[in-house]
Structure formats: structure tokens, C-alpha cells
């Protein structure tokens, strides 16, 4: 009796593992989204959290964007991250590991000041030196904003529509609430369905 129970649990566990691998492959091929990956302190920045790799900021661009935003009004670091994410329509957000070192650098070269605010949080304010730098590099600031807009539009075009997100939620629910048991045969059946769906999605729609 105990041996049979152990065998059934092993089969169910094996079934779950098969299905999980199939889901991951399907999501990697067809259902990925864009987003912010790791950014170096130099402000390069890459997006990968919701999609494929690609450069978001050229070297130094992130610092320039941060300086321009602080010039509009004093901001906390977390506000700057959120504001940049909004500029990208939610498709990308720089990591704290790139934003805070960039702010520290701007502070060190005298272009912003940081004052304690809300406990341990810092409020960043632009200095006269920072304003002068932005004025001298207005064309560069405009160019960076233009590139950001282009990247944001590109990311938005690659995001899956809401209907697809809802379909993925339905798929996850169906798998989670699967009531037929996960023996090896059933796991293989579902795996084939998911694999075929992934291949069909990857192939794209057929042209007439």
C-alpha cells in the first residue's frame, strides 16, 4: 500500500515537472514580455525582464535623464525609477543598482545635492552646475528623449495584448486545477499540446 502511494506521488511529481518544463518553453518562445534587466552604473541599461536583450540607454544617457528629471522638481530615487518607467509606458524600468550609483556620481561632481528626507531616503535637487550642464547639452538631452520615445514605442509594439495575458492566466488556472491526475501519459499529452501551441505561436500567422 505504502509502495503504491509512493509510486503515485512520484508519477504525479514527474508529471508536474514535465508540464512545468513545457510551460517554460512555451512562455520563452511565445509569451515573453519586455522589461528592465541589469543596468551598469555607467547608465547603459538593458531590457530583458519582459523580452529579449537590447540596449535602452547609451553610456551616460541614464545620468542625463536623471539630471533632467531632477531639474523639473526635486525627486527621491524611487520616484525617478517610477518616472522613467512611466516614460517607457511601463515596458522598462532602470534597476536601483544603476540609478543610485548614477545619482551618487551626479552628487560627487556637484550637479545635484542630496538631503535627508523621510527617514533614510534622500531627496535629490539640481544645482546651478547641473542646470548649466543641461543648458550646455540641450541638444543631447533632446536626442536622448527622442531615443527613449523610439524604444518605448518599439517595446509597446512587442508587448503581448491583454487578450493574450488573459489567455495565459486561463491556461495557468487550467493546469493548476487539472482534475484528471498527472500520470506520465497525461503529462505527455499536455506537454504535446503546449509544445504545439508554442510552435504555432512562434511561426506567426500564415500569409495568403
Amino acid at each position: 500500500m505504502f509502495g503504491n502511494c509512493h509510486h503515485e506521488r512520484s508519477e504525479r511529481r514527474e508529471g508536474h515537472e514535465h508540464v512545468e518544463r513545457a510551460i517554460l518553453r512555451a512562455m520563452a518562445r511565445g509569451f515573453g514580455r519586455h522589461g528592465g534587466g541589469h543596468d551598469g552604473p555607467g547608465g547603459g541599461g538593458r531590457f530583458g525582464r519582459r523580452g529579449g536583450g537590447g540596449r535602452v540607454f547609451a553610456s551616460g544617457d541614464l545620468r542625463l535623464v536623471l539630471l533632467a528629471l531632477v531639474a523639473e522638481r526635486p525627486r527621491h530615487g524611487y520616484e525617478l525609477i517610477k518616472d522613467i518607467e512611466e516614460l517607457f509606458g511601463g515596458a522598462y524600468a532602470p534597476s536601483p543598482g544603476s540609478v543610485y550609483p548614477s545619482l551618487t556620481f551626479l552628487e560627487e561632481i556637484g550637479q545635484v545635492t542630496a538631503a535627508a528626507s523621510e527617514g533614510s531616503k534622500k531627496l535629490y535637487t539640481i544645482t546651478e552646475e547641473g542646470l548649466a550642464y543641461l543648458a550646455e547639452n540641450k541638444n543631447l538631452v533632446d536626442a536622448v528623449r527622442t531615443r527613449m520615445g523610439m524604444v518605448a514605442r518599439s517595446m509597446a509594439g512587442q508587448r503581448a495584448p491583454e487578450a493574450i495575458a488573459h489567455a495565459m492566466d486561463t491556461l495557468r488556472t487550467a493546469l493548476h486545477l487539472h482534475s484528471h491526475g498527472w500520470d506520465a501519459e497525461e503529462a505527455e499529452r499536455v506537454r504535446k499540446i503546449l509544445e504545439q501551441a508554442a510552435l504555432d505561436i512562434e511561426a506567426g500567422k500564415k500569409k495568403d
Side-chain angles (χ1 to χ4, degrees), residues 58-138:
S59 179
D61 283 0
L62 177 57
R63 290 195 296 268
L64 199 58
V65 171
L66 293 171
L67 190 62
L69 288 172
V70 172
E72 294 175 359
R73 62 176 173 82
R75 283 173 163 91
H76 296 94
Y78 67 88
E79 290 180 298
L80 289 163
I81 293 173
K82 185 173 179 59
D83 289 341
I84 292 175
E85 183 176 12
E86 289 178 356
L87 289 173
F88 280 100
Y92 165 85
S95 68
S98 64
V99 168
Y100 286 101
S102 296
L103 289 170
T104 298
F105 178 79
L106 291 172
E107 186 180 4
E108 289 174 348
I109 62 176
Q111 293 182 358
V112 301
T113 59
S117 169
E118 298 181 23
S120 61
K121 296 174 183 176
K122 291 182 177 181
L123 184 67
Y124 295 91
T125 304
I126 197 165
T127 64
E128 291 298 325
E129 289 85 348
L131 288 171
Y133 182 82
L134 286 179
E136 293 168 5
N137 293 275
K138 183 180 182 303

Side-chain angles (χ1 to χ4, degrees), residues 139-152:
N139 290 339
L140 183 56
V141 175
D142 292 342
V144 171
R145 288 187 178 274
T146 299
R147 287 199 297 272
M148 287 174 63
M150 293 171 63
V151 172

